[in-house]
Amino acid sequence: MLDPKSLLDHLADFLSPQPTSPSERRQELIGTLREAQAEGLIDADALSMIEGVFQVGQLCARDILVPRAQIDWIDINRPLAEIIKTVIEAAHSRFPVFEGTRDNVIGILLAKDLLRHSSEQDFQVRDWLRPTVFIPESKRLSVLLRDFKDNRNHLAVVVDEYSGIAGIITIEDVLEQIVGDIEDEHDIDEEADNILALDNGDVRIKGITELEQLNEALGTNFAPEDIETVAGLVIQHLGRVPKVGERIEIDGIEFEVQRADPRQIHILLARQKPKKVE
């Protein structure tokens, strides 16, 4: 049995200079904390948050960004009525604004600024744009979180090695790595919207969607033992949590991961694979 004194000793050892590598010491500490949780010295939520803090120290922006294909963009040259419609329908709080091409982001538009002042005489969207914060894909989340806090920014635009826009990342995306999924405007809110049919024929699915609902919608017959959700199905099949962009085919259905972090899958796309003609 692990006693409180033993836990404190392990923590002290971790904070003291040791010949072992940081990775080995980190794994040793996590093991000690898990043992402490099993013995009731800390609760499961506290353990999860501590593990999340360690993960934030290891991840960078490219690991959790919202890809550019999923961004709700604002084109500065569109009529004001169309911009207002986009903002209302998307229901986000912040939007990247571009001019010409989507690699030319000229600012960030806050929904509250648009909806509060758009009825004013001579209103111009350009006058209300906030400065854009650009960060590289390699930026560590721990550093980014500190920057968000110090500069009071909530959104950064992530650029790739060729200076193209790779995606966006918000302070919520970083915090989710510590406290778990936070339901907000980036998420599908209603249970009825767990499964959404897209115009291109793909089906957008929340990872927490139950397999029974998936089978009913797609005409499939997924029923693995001890698995209840689509995310669980994909993880069990692959043997690990997949990365964003990975494609996994299961019984004629291809699942493409749209949003995920190292611990869970949030959003997938599903499509029927054509049957091979023999």
Side-chain angles (χ1 to χ4, degrees):
M1 175 178 287
L2 184 69
D3 58 54
K5 183 177 185 304
S6 177
L7 174 61
L8 291 175
D9 289 343
H10 277 79
L11 291 173
D13 290 342
F14 176 78
L15 296 174
S16 302
Q18 297 288 334
T20 55
S21 69
S23 178
E24 292 174 337
R25 294 176 61 203
R26 186 182 304 109
Q27 290 304 316
E28 181 181 350
L29 177 58
I30 289 176
T32 300
L33 292 170
R34 287 175 177 171
E35 188 176 349
Q37 190 272 322
E39 296 291 343
L41 297 179
I42 60 174
D43 61 34
D45 288 339
L47 175 62
S48 178
M49 290 183 64
I50 293 171
E51 290 181 329
V53 169
F54 279 119
Q55 288 182 346
V56 165
Q58 299 301 304
L59 297 176
C60 56
R62 72 166 61 89
D63 295 318
I64 68 166
L65 60 78
V66 177
R68 63 182 288 161
Q70 296 181 33
I71 297 174
D72 288 298
W73 298 88
I74 297 294
D75 183 346
I76 192 67
N77 293 317
R78 302 304 298 172
L80 178 59
E82 290 187 16
I83 293 176
I84 293 175
K85 181 180 179 182
T86 297
V87 169
I88 292 175
E89 290 179 350
H92 301 328
S93 59
R94 292 166 174 79
F95 296 80
V97 181
F98 71 93
E99 185 169 26
T101 71
R102 293 180 178 181
D103 285 320
N104 182 33
V105 176
I106 61 174
I108 303 299
L109 177 64
L110 272 58
K112 66 178 183 179
D113 289 341
L114 176 70
L115 300 179
R116 183 180 300 166
H117 300 287
S118 60
S119 62
E120 297 176 359
Q121 188 175 6
D122 299 325
F123 173 83
Q124 296 293 326
V125 172
R126 195 182 300 269
D127 296 337
W128 289 93
L129 297 184
R130 306 294 180 98
T132 309
V133 175
F134 294 98
I135 63 171
E137 291 179 299
S138 58
K139 185 151 190 171
R140 290 287 181 184
L141 296 190
S142 54
V143 178
L144 178 59
L145 184 60
R146 185 168 60 248
D147 289 349
F148 276 145
K149 175 179 177 293
D150 293 343
N151 301 320
R152 298 185 179 181
N153 292 321
H154 286 190
L155 182 149
V157 175
V158 184
V159 297
D160 59 28
E161 59 183 312
Y162 304 105
S163 299
I165 304 302
I168 60 173
I169 188 169
T170 68
I171 189 171
E172 174 208 284
D173 296 324
V174 181
L175 292 175
E176 281 185 343
Q177 306 309 306
I178 300 175
V179 301
D181 196 27
I182 302 172
E183 295 288 340
D184 82 334
E185 70 267 21
H186 286 293
D187 301 314
I188 304 172
D189 296 323
E190 301 297 332
E191 183 177 344
D193 290 335
N194 279 350
I195 300 177
L196 295 175
L198 304 181
D199 292 339
N200 65 356
D202 290 349
V203 179
R204 190 171 187 237
I205 306 169
K206 288 182 70 171
I208 61 172
T209 301
E210 294 186 357
L211 291 178
E212 182 178 353
Q213 186 180 1
L214 177 73
N215 290 335
E216 183 178 346
L218 302 186
T220 50
N221 191 33
F222 295 118
E225 187 176 354
D226 299 327
I227 299 296
E228 298 181 354
T229 67
V230 179
L233 173 71
V234 172
I235 292 172
Q236 182 196 59
H237 181 83
L238 197 59
R240 59 178 173 80
V241 179
K243 297 179 180 180
V244 172
E246 281 196 64
R247 298 183 180 186
I248 304 95
E249 184 175 343
I250 308 175
D251 294 342
I253 302 294
E254 182 181 78
F255 295 95
E256 180 180 346
V257 180
Q258 289 283 289
R259 290 193 66 199
D261 60 48
R263 290 184 287 178
Q264 58 186 319
I265 302 171
H266 299 293
I267 302 292
L268 307 100
L269 292 179
R271 59 183 68 94
Q272 186 82 41
K273 294 289 288 184
K275 296 182 179 180
K276 295 181 180 179
V277 179
E278 299 182 357

